[in-house]
């Protein structure tokens, strides 16, 4: 039996788990994200303590990390959180200190790419080589697996920051994104619901017009992502998507917006119910994604 | 020496070439696209004639095809042109008749994905594992290589059909896309220039306001594609992009729209001149992309 460490490193809280060589969680801790020295110290303390009690030390660690990060192994700042506005965290190395301390492979990806990898191993997209994972909560982030691997490229995707049509006569809310105003995140993340309606989504009734408008913006984004990435499945997670009444609204409007142009039964028929879906791993997608990264890093390390 | 056949199968014309085992064109023919039987007959006749004169028969054929096509090898309609409105061409098999006649590997992809593969072998993105290829002409198509391979997924990308903000007070033109009206293609492909200004782009002066507006729509699309795909390079081809004055306008506005959010020297510095570029293979990108597909299919066939 091998053991693996997973870290869901969020801007608000950290979750650390140890699993067996599948996805069974043997131990878990969570704590608020404070400064990087204190926070990373608590991460280190947790895994050191686990190593004292496990039959053998953990074999690899994965990090599902808030960003932006540098995911490029050849880069001098690989494994760093780079330009985040979060106080104290800009230019913070995450991977190397863990490698130095534990002497095991340490993998990192964005929180959404990691969640996508987990969903591709154990969740709603198990075994698929091409799918999108979108999280809609305090912010909006997108990742996914394409041709079998997460997308990195120049940096990594920032799918919350696409622009879309905004009919000011129907929705005079200006959007809250400090960079782009009414980009997708600016119009549709949790703070936009609060800003537009004066109360958080969790307190709005199910038949409030907020949900039709929310579904409209999400469907416009999905049209763009379908036309751009041609994913085999779309997984929608995050706090806003806890509002399950959104799913049927989003499916109907995505189909309407595409208007028959993308000719696939997954869009044109009732199969759309299995095309636009919640995460199979629920709110464990992030931390189990980190475990999936760790297990992949361990396998790759063995292969060398 | 091995020989390869490439077919650029366009909705208006077909180009067929034979090359050596690099990209040197030994023979070429081009003819108007008529009905599928006549057109595919001319393709067959060309390669049969070549096989009579070459030292040995061609070893593989690649097709860069107008679409939509079914690029999924496991599908019953693999290698078919599927739902095109082009008269006579819906549900036309392209790959299997060539395999039957020549008994060699035959590869197919969309015209833009094929052009991207060619650019990745010999062109502006040589050796890159992640880049976008966009063609802006009579229509707008997007493809690219991500994690080393073209994107297929559910079907294949249809990047011309993303939606974007459209300020009707500044641009009252409604867009010409029969499916979506003012999607990217509806607002920015060649027919939109003609429809909006009453004359084709090729006859408009370099300082006509058409070009700033054209650059604006293209830059909005690039913001979306950068946020979604994080490409290492963006290649812009097609008839509209023959207007070279567009490139600096597009670069400046793409940077303005991203507003510092994607922190990469390729966007923030003068390196953007090497980030958003014309095709390295010029107007040969399509047919040489078909040759690249053929050579890959031959190598894969040898590996089995």
């Amino acid at each position: 039996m091998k053991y693996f460490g997973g870290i869901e490193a969020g801007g608000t809280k950290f979750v650390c788990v140890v699993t067996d060589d599948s996805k069974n969680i043997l131990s878990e801790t969570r704590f608020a994200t404070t400064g990087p020295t204190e926070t990373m110290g608590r991460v280190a303390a947790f895994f050191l303590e686990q190593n004292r009690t496990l039959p053998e030390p953990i074999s690899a660690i994965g990090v599902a990390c808030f960003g932006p990060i540098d995911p490029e192994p050849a880069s001098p700042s690989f494994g760093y959180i780079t330009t985040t506005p979060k106080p104290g965290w800009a230019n913070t190395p995450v991977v190397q200190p863990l490698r130095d301390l534990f002497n095991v492979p340490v993998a990192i990806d964005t929180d959404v790419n990691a969640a996508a990898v987990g969903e591709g191993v154990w969740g709603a997209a198990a075994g698929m080589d091409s799918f999108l994972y979108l999280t809609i909560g305090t912010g909006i982030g997108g990742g996914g697996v394409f041709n079998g691997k997460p997308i990195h490229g120049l940096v990594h995707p920032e799918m919350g920051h696409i622009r879309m049509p905004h009919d000011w006569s129907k929705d005079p809310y200006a959007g809250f994104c400090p960079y782009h105003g009414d980009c997708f995140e600016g119009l549709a993340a949790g703070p936009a619901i609060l800003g537009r309606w004066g109360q958080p989504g969790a307190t709005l009734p199910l038949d409030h017009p907020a949900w039709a408008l929310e579904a409209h913006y999400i469907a416009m984004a999905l049209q763009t992502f379908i036309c751009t990435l041609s994913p085999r499945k779309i997984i929608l997670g995050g706090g806003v998507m806890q509002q399950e009444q959104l799913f049927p609204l989003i499916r109907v409007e995505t189909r309407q917006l595409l208007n028959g142009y993308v000719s696939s039964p997954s869009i044109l028929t009732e199969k759309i119910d299995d095309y636009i879906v919640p995460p199979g791993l629920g709110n464990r997608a992030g931390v189990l994604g980190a475990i999936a990264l760790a297990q992949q890093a361990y396998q790759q390390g063995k292969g060398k």
Side-chain angles (χ1 to χ4, degrees), chain A:
Chain A
M1 177 77 77
K2 296 291 174 187
Y3 302 94
F4 296 92
I7 305 166
E8 184 180 356
T12 307
K13 71 172 194 293
F14 270 52
V15 181
C16 301
V17 300
V18 170
T19 66
D20 60 14
D21 43 21
S22 178
K23 64 178 169 61
N24 302 301
I25 293 175
L26 307 175
S27 181
E28 174 170 357
T29 187
R30 50 182 63 207
F31 42 85
T33 309
T34 55
T37 308
E38 182 183 21
T39 307
M40 293 306 293
R42 295 184 76 167
V43 169
F46 172 74
F47 288 115
L48 287 170
E49 175 62 27
Q50 295 302 310
N51 272 354
R52 275 192 286 274
T53 57
L54 288 167
E56 65 172 278
I58 52 178
S59 294
I61 296 172
V63 190
C65 199
F66 73 99
I69 63 169
D70 183 344
E72 174 72 45
S75 163
S77 59
F78 166 68
Y80 277 59
I81 293 170
T82 56
T83 58
T84 178
K86 194 171 170 59
W89 282 88
N91 300 312
T92 296
V94 173
V95 168
Q96 197 58 48
L98 293 169
R99 283 186 179 160
D100 291 345
L101 195 56
F102 294 97
N103 197 29
V104 295
V106 179
I108 191 169
D109 213 320
T110 61
D111 37 17
V112 280
N113 266 343
V117 170
E119 289 288 323
V121 177
W122 297 300
M128 284 189 167
D129 71 342
S130 161
F131 60 93
L132 173 66
Y133 182 96
L134 206 61
T135 180
I136 304 171
T138 312
I140 294 180
V145 168
F146 292 91
N147 288 325
K149 291 191 288 192
I151 286 191
H152 292 137
L154 188 68
V155 190
H156 48 69
E158 290 286 359
M159 297 191 198
H161 296 272
I162 63 168
R163 284 177 203 267
M164 52 178 52
H166 175 194
D167 184 340
W168 291 76
S169 69
K170 290 186 183 159
D171 175 23
Y173 178 68
F176 74 91
C177 174
Y179 291 87
H180 313 117
D182 61 351
C183 64
F184 179 29
E185 179 170 297
L187 288 173
I193 299 176
L194 176 63
R196 184 183 289 117
W197 305 104
Q199 50 182 309
T203 67
L204 292 171
L206 295 186
D207 60 353
H208 193 280
W211 302 121
L213 187 64
E214 183 71 15
H216 171 68
Y217 289 128
I218 295 170
M220 279 204 292
L222 294 194
Q223 176 185 8
T224 287
F225 298 142
I226 290 168
C227 287
T228 307
L229 294 161
S230 202
R232 290 187 197 274
K233 187 162 288 214
I234 295 173
I235 302 169
L236 301 178
V240 170
M241 295 311 303
Q242 303 283 320
Q243 303 284 333
E244 294 177 6
Q245 73 277 15
L246 284 170
F247 280 93
L249 299 173
I250 291 166
R251 291 176 187 130
V252 166
E253 188 152 356
T254 301
R255 181 189 290 160
Q256 284 171 348
L257 286 169
L258 285 165
N259 196 21
Y261 195 75
V262 175
S263 174
S264 165
S266 294
I267 291 165
L268 299 178
T269 75
E270 74 291 349
K271 289 188 181 175
I272 198 169
D273 293 346
D274 193 42
Y275 183 63
I276 299 174
V277 298
L281 300 173
N283 59 15
R284 291 299 204 192
V287 77
L288 289 178
I291 290 292
L293 293 179
Q295 294 179 358
Q296 289 181 353
Y298 173 71
Q299 291 300 329
Q300 284 162 11
K302 277 207 309 186
K304 276 174 189 166

